[in-house]
Amino acid sequence: GEKVEQHESTLSVREGDSAVINCTYTDTASSYFPWYKQEAGKGLHFVIDIRSNVDRKQSQRLIVLLDKKAKRFSLHITATQPEDSAIYFCAASPPMDSNYQLIWGSGTKLIIKP
Amino acid sequence: DTTVKQNPRYKLARVGKPVNLICSQTMNHDTMYWYQKKPNQAPKLLLFYYDKILNREADTFEKFQSSRPNNSFCSLYIGSAGLEYSAMYLCASSRDRPGGYAEQFFGPGTRLTVL
């Protein structure tokens, strides 16, 4: 079955710099890749996603890149701010008609240093 | 209100005793999920309800039960807690049928400690 890996368990960047969080997946049929953020003491919440018909998506300071050949996708946070500090989870999902669930990565803790 | 509520936030249980966790949402979502989350591990889907239909993952089939008496509430029941059940339990809901592209809304979690 599908496996999703997040290679960095912790990432530390200076405020104002960019942060990049990487994920890889194994199932070439996966077609949907969301990112969720978990702040301290709170539940996960959706931040951005990308579907396999595009290779780039941007929402304000967040950019997601998808490389289907390498089975890799990444979250880029530009001009980082203290409120970006959180744990970020990536996930992958097979096509909609499979009725199968998201497969999650283990999370990357992003620390924004002043 | 887009919040998912979970009760209790912290639960202490004895080995061999039952545990019942509660989740609620008022978004009229069709699907409600329960995940188990251990430190440095990915969230693990335990089961989900799509409307009134319960789907349990094959490897956790016998360990967890659930009920959904109405659209808003969903419980997670452990009949006999073992030490390995100590974890954060996350409830989530989504508007559409499970899988695919439905955004999931998560509660804050219940931290279960089994002693």
Side-chain angles (χ1 to χ4, degrees), chain A residues 31-32 36 41-44 46 51 89 93 96 99-102 104-106, chain B residues 9 33 35 37 40 42-43 45 48 97-101 103-104 106-108:
Chain A
S31 62
Y32 174 65
Y36 283 72
K42 298 184 180 179
L44 281 71
F46 172 87
R51 301 187 187 189
F89 293 89
S93 177
M96 275 214 59
N99 202 35
Y100 200 71
Q101 294 306 304
L102 290 175
W104 297 83
S106 56
Chain B
R9 293 292 305 274
Y33 311 78
Y35 291 89
K37 174 77 173 71
N40 302 315
L45 180 67
F48 64 88
R97 68 176 182 84
Y101 307 157
E103 178 183 342
Q104 295 186 24
F106 283 81

Side-chain angles (χ1 to χ4, degrees), chain A:
Chain A
E2 170 75 285
K3 286 185 173 56
V4 174
E5 287 198 46
Q6 283 184 252
H7 302 281
E8 306 99 353
S9 58
T10 305
L11 178 65
S12 185
V13 301
R14 290 217 176 275
E15 183 178 347
D17 288 349
S18 292
V20 182
I21 301 171
N22 296 291
C23 286
T24 55
Y25 61 100
T26 57
D27 188 349
T28 53
S30 288
S31 62
Y32 174 65
F33 307 91
W35 287 87
Y36 283 72
K37 174 183 181 182
Q38 184 179 29
E39 294 167 89
K42 298 184 180 179
L44 281 71
H45 75 264
F46 172 87
V47 288
I48 192 169
D49 61 11
I50 190 166
R51 301 187 187 189
S52 57
N53 59 342
V54 297
D55 54 19
R56 185 182 192 276
K57 183 174 179 179
Q58 181 165 1
S59 174
Q60 298 181 318
R61 294 186 297 109
L62 303 179
I63 302 168
V64 181
L65 302 179
L66 174 63
D67 181 343
K68 290 191 290 291
K69 194 177 278 187
K71 287 186 280 188
R72 182 174 57 225
F73 59 114
S74 56
L75 175 67
H76 298 243
I77 306 173
T78 62
T80 52
Q81 299 170 4
E83 55 265 34
D84 295 328
S85 292
I87 301 175
Y88 290 81
F89 293 89
C90 64
S93 177
M96 275 214 59
D97 59 4
S98 70
N99 202 35
Y100 200 71
Q101 294 306 304
L102 290 175
I103 305 299
W104 297 83
S106 56
T108 297
K109 183 175 184 177
L110 177 62
I111 300 168
I112 307 298
K113 297 180 293 188

